[in-house]
Amino acid sequence: SLLTNNGDFKKAEQLFPIIENGLLKFGDKISSVRRAFIVFKMATVQLGSGNFSLALKYVNRILNDSELDVSEDILSFTHLLDLLIHLDMKHEQLLPYALKNTQRFLKSRNRLYSFEKAFLHFVSKRIKCTNELDAEILWEELHTELSSIKDDTFEGVALEYFDFRTWSESKFKKQAFVELIKRKELNRLKHAN
């Protein structure tokens, strides 16, 4: 988690064989939520590194885990990450289905946080958008909306899982996600001293 927070995805990726080995060896001794969290972090490392198909593989591992209770927040974040990956992979045919699937899943939980609502609204608009400039504006709108959600503790938890806000910022600023993460970490360290 520390490596993903400071943008050191390459170093985090080098730990994957050790993590996978640990999951194989001790997977049944780790709670399904904890296991899903570890796999989720692996997905975000792949996403941050631009390895979208590997990120999708990890996401599917969580979504197909029958041991996870549908009330677990990790499943909500995984569904949202799934949508991000499909957007980045330009899966135009798959995106409407993935969006409907996510909407159905979130509706089944009988609560929709501002963070989730903003995200779903963005994806439904983004799917219809064909112009690259309009797409950048949508990413910027998402970033602004996510930045303005203050009363939502769920959003705070969401950002601990994956920095959705910085991801949206990287899209409209056309800068590498990893670079923005590193810059934010440097600023945080500078202001901490």
Side-chain angles (χ1 to χ4, degrees):
S1 187
L2 185 67
L3 293 173
T4 56
N5 291 349
N6 67 17
D8 205 342
F9 296 119
K10 289 286 172 242
K11 204 176 275 180
E13 216 175 324
Q14 289 169 358
L15 298 174
F16 278 25
I18 298 162
I19 295 166
E20 286 285 14
N21 194 28
L23 286 172
L24 275 173
K25 226 186 224 173
F26 308 107
D28 55 341
K29 291 170 180 59
I30 305 168
S31 76
S32 56
V33 176
R34 189 76 198 134
R35 198 171 51 243
F37 179 76
I38 293 167
V39 175
F40 185 92
K41 280 298 186 184
M42 293 168 84
T44 62
V45 166
Q46 295 298 355
L47 180 63
S49 298
N51 303 324
F52 304 125
S53 40
L54 284 174
L56 193 58
K57 189 181 93 175
Y58 288 114
V59 159
N60 285 330
R61 212 158 119 184
I62 299 167
L63 295 177
N64 295 325
D65 187 343
S66 57
E67 287 180 38
L68 282 170
D69 189 296
V70 291
S71 67
E72 296 296 347
D73 287 339
I74 185 77
L75 281 171
S76 295
F77 302 133
T78 305
H79 274 279
L80 298 179
L81 200 65
D82 184 53
L83 289 173
L84 270 189
I85 295 166
H86 286 305
L87 274 171
D88 275 315
M89 293 180 86
K90 296 180 180 14
H91 286 164
E92 275 83 14
Q93 278 77 35
L94 198 59
L95 266 165
Y97 167 77
L99 177 62
K100 274 193 182 76
N101 190 25
T102 300
Q103 288 168 325
R104 196 172 30 251
F105 171 78
L106 294 174
K107 194 176 181 184
S108 76
R109 299 182 68 188
N110 295 320
R111 57 123 186 93
L112 195 63
Y113 291 109
S114 314
F115 177 80
E116 295 167 325
K117 208 180 296 179
F119 204 87
L120 293 175
H121 185 68
F122 159 76
V123 174
S124 65
K125 284 177 20 182
R126 180 65 187 86
I127 286 172
K128 296 172 193 137
C129 179
T130 53
N131 179 313
E132 204 49 48
L133 194 62
D134 291 342
E136 280 177 39
I137 292 165
L138 288 176
W139 280 109
E140 190 168 6
E141 285 173 2
L142 175 66
H143 179 263
T144 304
E145 195 167 351
L146 294 181
S147 298
S148 71
I149 300 171
K150 296 285 183 248
D151 61 335
D152 196 341
T153 51
F154 182 80
E155 195 225 13
V157 173
L159 293 175
E160 284 176 31
Y161 279 81
F162 180 71
D163 194 342
F164 291 94
R165 224 185 289 152
T166 302
W167 186 260
S168 59
E169 186 181 349
S170 75
K171 294 299 177 186
F172 73 84
K173 286 187 174 176
K174 291 187 182 268
Q175 293 177 1
F177 173 67
V178 66
E179 294 309 318
L180 287 176
I181 291 285
K182 285 178 180 175
R183 204 171 308 143
K184 284 186 178 198
E185 182 62 11
L186 281 173
N187 283 341
R188 193 190 64 76
L189 292 172
K190 207 185 314 177
H191 290 96
N193 296 330

